[in-house]
Amino acid sequence: MRRFAGLPAVPLAALLVVVLSGCSSGSSGSAGGSPSASASATAVPSPVESADPMPKVSGEVGSKAVIEIPAEKPGGEFVVATVHEGDGATVAKGDWVTVNYTAKDWTTGKDVSSSYDSGGKPQLYQAGSGQLVPAFDQSVVGKKAGSRLLVVAPPAAGFGTAGNTSAGVGSQDTVVFVLDIVDVVPPDSTVSGDVTAPPATAPQVKDNGKQAPTITIPAGQAPPTELQTYVLIKGDGKEVQSGQQLLVQYTGVLWSDGKQFDSSFEHGGAQALQVGTGSLIKGWDQGLVGQTVGSRVMLVVPPALGYGNQSSGPVPADATLVFVIDILEAV
């Protein structure tokens, strides 16, 4: 459950989530609490598959790429070329994608921060949503998970006429990205697997497929005063670490009357949230860190680990909250 304030940015997102003063990035919508790239009058050029000259790429998919810049100046085209085609799902607009990247400034010949660098993380975002620079936002649509892409981004498809001073990219610089598409998750995704039913004294959960699950509060039971965590489906993915960005489906109801007050199923599907940093209620930070990707977890959150004696939107003061959460990804 996110707080109703915006989430802090993911560490490397500052490189890619920018205000484009000189180009349009499509939709100005925002997902997962990230700021969106703003649109202006200059249109992003349509990408082509090749141009002359072209950078060369070497190295294994899944590791930092080696990018060789030609001696010639860039021609100004927005290029998206498939270096290696994966065999995973095809990315559709609106899908959540996890991407690792290597980058180099063609104009200066200097390396730009990479997700493969020490302390780097993959980028999780919705394809075609306008969250990130067009070189990321548009390039992955129609490509398959497991693919490596070479993207040549002139300013209109990259950081715009403002450039990016923190990344060392000037206002007229062309940037070369190598994108490795790690995973793709449609926004209506849910987890599946063998279900472990909670005890009769706990809330019961009915799965409704692509719709919000039904959560039934046990009659006559007083709400617990401590956090209760039930793993309904145990995923076999990686363990969630504090500070990661999670992709989740969730539904929350009030213990007092069983009324649903929030559900990702009803506002666009899976959501990206940062865990373990204080941007979520304490019950989520404590209950989700250490779980595994692919799990469905039910949390019963007492007021002290929720919103306390303060109301928050549809949640009244001193409310015990019940959540069912599908952990779809963690980066």
Side-chain angles (χ1 to χ4, degrees):
M1 174 66 181
R2 62 190 185 281
R3 297 184 185 275
F4 287 92
L7 294 178
V10 182
L12 285 179
L15 173 63
L16 305 168
V17 183
V18 294
V19 177
L20 298 178
S21 60
C23 64
S24 168
S25 62
S27 169
S28 61
S30 174
S34 298
S36 62
S38 65
S40 70
T42 304
V44 177
S46 298
V48 297
E49 294 183 358
S50 185
D52 187 22
M54 281 283 285
K56 294 182 180 180
V57 177
S58 59
E60 296 293 327
V61 177
S63 61
K64 188 172 182 177
V66 176
I67 303 172
E68 297 181 49
I69 299 297
E72 300 91 337
K73 293 182 179 180
E77 296 91 347
F78 176 22
V79 181
V80 180
T82 300
V83 177
H84 169 81
E85 185 173 28
D87 57 5
T90 300
V91 179
K93 184 177 180 180
D95 284 351
W96 287 92
V97 291
T98 304
V99 173
N100 271 311
Y101 60 93
T102 309
K104 196 162 190 172
D105 189 322
W106 185 329
T107 307
T108 65
K110 296 180 179 179
D111 290 338
V112 180
S113 297
S114 163
S115 66
Y116 289 110
D117 294 338
S118 177
K121 291 184 178 181
Q123 182 68 53
L124 173 66
Y125 63 99
Q126 274 188 297
S129 67
Q131 286 179 273
L132 304 187
V133 297
F136 276 64
D137 186 56
Q138 299 180 17
S139 296
V140 297
V141 176
K143 308 301 183 182
K144 294 181 179 181
S147 294
R148 166 164 281 189
L149 310 178
L150 168 62
V151 180
V152 179
F159 296 109
T161 56
N164 188 307
T165 54
S166 63
V169 177
S171 62
Q172 301 300 315
D173 291 3
T174 292
V175 181
V176 180
F177 295 99
V178 176
L179 309 183
D180 291 344
I181 305 175
V182 179
D183 197 13
V184 53
V185 181
D188 64 350
S189 296
T190 59
V191 305
S192 60
D194 295 333
V195 177
T196 300
T201 54
Q204 302 299 301
V205 179
K206 178 188 175 185
D207 182 83
N208 292 320
K210 298 294 185 180
Q211 299 181 3
T214 301
I215 304 171
T216 304
I217 305 301
Q221 292 289 327
T225 58
E226 296 183 354
L227 178 67
Q228 304 294 308
T229 303
Y230 303 95
V231 179
L232 307 180
I233 297 174
K234 177 66 173 177
D236 58 3
K238 56 195 171 186
E239 187 174 293
V240 173
Q241 305 292 324
S242 182
Q244 285 189 313
Q245 195 175 22
L246 302 187
L247 184 63
V248 298
Q249 291 277 21
Y250 68 89
T251 298
V253 304
L254 301 174
W255 181 287
S256 59
D257 58 9
K259 183 177 180 180
Q260 179 180 302
F261 61 86
D262 194 12
S263 179
S264 60
F265 291 89
E266 297 181 1
H267 50 78
Q271 302 288 303
L273 307 168
Q274 196 172 33
V275 68
T277 62
S279 60
L280 307 178
I281 59 172
K282 292 180 181 178
W284 274 50
D285 280 348
Q286 294 181 18
L288 295 182
V289 173
Q291 303 295 344
T292 54
V293 173
S295 293
R296 173 169 293 172
V297 179
M298 180 169 69
L299 301 179
V300 183
V301 180
L305 299 179
Y307 293 102
N309 60 5
Q310 302 293 319
S311 62
S312 185
V315 178
D318 299 313
T320 296
L321 312 175
V322 182
F323 296 95
V324 173
I325 306 159
D326 286 4
I327 306 173
L328 304 174
E329 184 59 283
V331 300

